[in-house]
């Protein structure tokens, strides 16, 4: 008779115990290590952070934008911790010095070869079920943006260069170049 392999189960304490500089996310008690981002990834991250932040400031909005690394504790548990590339949070009661407790209103993930299945499947499911209102998956290799508006139960695909309407803001669109 073959012995069953015991699956490791991790908590947020294990994330905080990682060596300095090592980044990982925790989904349903499983650790997923993150590869260092590429230059293209960082350029897109900066573009979204600046574009969204400028819009919020121009409109004197109350939402706040946070680029990675920024801790998001998706559920009221110790087994889910993610660092979305961009988090937009409109409820200030969710924020403290550790990060965001609960679902951001809008999340953007920039896909890399190593994060594709995580961003397109695992996180898509987690974000939808945790209460994220809008989720963008930006794929620089394919030059497309998948936009999920969970409240409306819609999914649209846009090409880089298209005006992409932002669901949580009526008069805001972003053109990814």
């Amino acid at each position: 008779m073959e012995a069953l392999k015991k699956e490791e189960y991790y908590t947020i304490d294990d994330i905080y115990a990682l060596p300095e500089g090592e980044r990982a996310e925790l989904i349903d008690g499983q650790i997923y290590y993150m590869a260092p981002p590429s230059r293209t990834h960082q350029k897109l991250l900066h573009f979204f952070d600046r574009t969204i932040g400028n819009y919020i400031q121009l409109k004197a909005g109350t939402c706040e934008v946070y680029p990675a690394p920024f801790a998001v504790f998706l559920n009221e548990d110790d087994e889910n911790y993610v660092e979305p590339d961009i988090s937009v949070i409109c409820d200030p009661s969710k924020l403290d010095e550790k990060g965001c407790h609960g679902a951001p209103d809008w999340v953007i993930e920039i896909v890399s070869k190593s994060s594709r299945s995580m961003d397109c499947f695992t996180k898509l499911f987690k974000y939808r079920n945790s209460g994220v209102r809008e989720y963008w998956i930006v794929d620089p290799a394919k030059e497309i943006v998948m936009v999920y508006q969970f409240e409306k139960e819609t999914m649209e695909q846009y090409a880089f260069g298209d005006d992409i309407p932002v669901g949580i803001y009526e008069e805001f669109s972003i053109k990814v170049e």
Side-chain angles (χ1 to χ4, degrees):
M1 184 163 147
E2 202 172 309
L4 292 176
K5 180 181 175 262
K6 181 180 179 286
E7 195 168 304
E8 291 288 331
Y9 182 83
Y10 299 95
T11 67
I12 290 169
D13 290 339
D14 295 306
I15 292 290
Y16 282 110
L18 289 173
E20 183 72 32
E22 192 164 349
R23 290 182 52 216
E25 294 178 305
L26 182 69
I27 296 181
D28 296 329
Q30 295 302 301
I31 287 185
Y32 297 89
Y33 293 94
M34 295 162 41
S38 69
R39 180 174 157 261
T40 299
H41 179 283
Q42 291 304 92
K43 282 179 70 171
L44 283 165
L45 179 72
H46 180 65
F47 165 77
F48 282 113
D49 182 33
R50 187 180 66 244
T51 303
I52 297 164
N54 288 347
Y55 176 82
I56 292 170
Q57 185 175 25
L58 181 71
K59 297 295 185 178
T62 57
C63 300
E64 296 184 39
V65 59
Y66 292 94
F70 180 73
V72 173
F73 306 92
L74 278 177
N75 304 342
E76 299 289 327
D77 61 29
D78 67 346
E79 61 187 42
N80 288 283
Y81 167 98
V82 292
E83 292 183 2
D85 289 318
I86 295 288
S87 300
V88 178
I89 298 116
C90 300
D91 179 355
S93 73
K94 291 182 178 181
L95 296 168
D96 69 13
E97 285 305 308
K98 285 191 169 187
C100 177
H101 299 270
D105 294 88
W106 179 17
V107 168
I108 299 174
E109 293 286 8
I110 302 162
V111 173
S112 66
K113 195 185 307 185
S114 65
S115 74
R116 183 173 304 282
S117 69
M118 183 71 143
D119 293 336
C120 296
F121 299 105
T122 308
K123 286 185 177 178
L124 172 65
F125 178 78
K126 273 320 261 191
Y127 291 150
R128 187 188 73 204
N129 288 340
S130 68
V132 169
R133 294 166 54 199
E134 184 165 357
Y135 178 39
W136 288 22
I137 301 172
V138 178
D139 190 331
K142 295 180 180 179
E143 295 191 349
I144 60 168
V145 180
M146 306 290 289
V147 176
Y148 294 86
Q149 292 190 37
F150 297 130
E151 293 174 320
K152 296 178 183 175
E153 297 185 4
T154 63
M155 189 281 289
E156 300 284 335
Q157 180 175 306
Y158 298 89
F160 280 26
D162 291 346
D163 273 321
I164 306 171
V166 176
I168 68 166
Y169 294 110
E170 283 185 23
E171 301 156 4
F172 184 31
S173 64
I174 297 177
K175 186 181 288 192
V176 182
E177 300 291 349

